[in-house]
């Protein structure tokens, strides 16, 4: 059996990252980062047209977004990671119990 590579041990993705928790090397920032951070920064820089951000018009960010979206589309539903994050962001205090009749 082959020993795992250092990238696999450290959780770094060799190909395109697909999960929000995947870690990859960002060429523009010259550091390792989570896909979730990349997507957030890429979307904010481009949606708000902040040309001073390194993420504005980033080809690696665009590829990551395309890969992530295509992966979600092929599964036919949002990734469990996304649902978990959305539910966690809602918080328990926001849910009101139904009224009794």
């Amino acid at each position: 059996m082959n020993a795992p590579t250092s990238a696999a041990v450290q959780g770094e993705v060799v190909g395109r990252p697909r999960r929000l928790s995947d870690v990859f090397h960002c060429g523009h920032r010259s550091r390792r980062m989570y896909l979730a951070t990349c997507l957030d920064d890429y979307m904010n820089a481009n949606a708000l047209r902040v040309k001073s951000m390194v993420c504005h018009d980033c080809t690696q960010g665009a590829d990551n977004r395309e890969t992530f979206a295509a992966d979600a589309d092929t599964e036919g539903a949002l990734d469990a990671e996304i649902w978990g994050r959305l539910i966690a962001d809602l918080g328990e205090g926001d849910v009101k119990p139904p009224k009794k009749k």
Side-chain angles (χ1 to χ4, degrees):
M1 186 182 217
N2 294 341
T5 64
S6 62
V9 171
Q10 295 174 0
E12 188 162 337
V13 176
V14 176
R16 287 184 174 181
R18 296 190 175 276
R19 302 278 183 222
L20 294 174
S21 58
D22 286 351
V23 176
F24 70 99
H25 178 78
C26 174
H28 289 281
R29 291 185 173 177
S30 299
R31 67 181 176 101
R32 294 175 59 222
M33 61 191 305
Y34 288 103
L35 177 61
T37 304
C38 172
L39 294 178
D40 285 345
D41 291 350
Y42 175 79
M43 295 299 292
N44 287 332
N46 290 287
L48 301 173
R49 296 185 179 103
V50 183
K51 293 181 181 180
S52 61
M53 287 182 70
V54 71
C55 301
H56 187 266
D57 287 338
C58 172
T59 55
Q60 189 176 16
D63 288 344
N64 287 342
R65 182 177 182 272
E66 184 179 311
T67 301
F68 183 76
D71 188 43
D73 286 347
T74 58
E75 292 177 9
L78 285 174
D79 186 70
E81 250 181 295
I82 296 172
W83 278 112
R85 200 178 248 197
L86 289 172
I87 291 169
D89 287 347
L90 287 175
E92 293 178 12
D94 295 342
V95 180
K96 295 179 182 177
K99 292 182 180 180
K100 294 181 181 180
K101 290 185 176 183

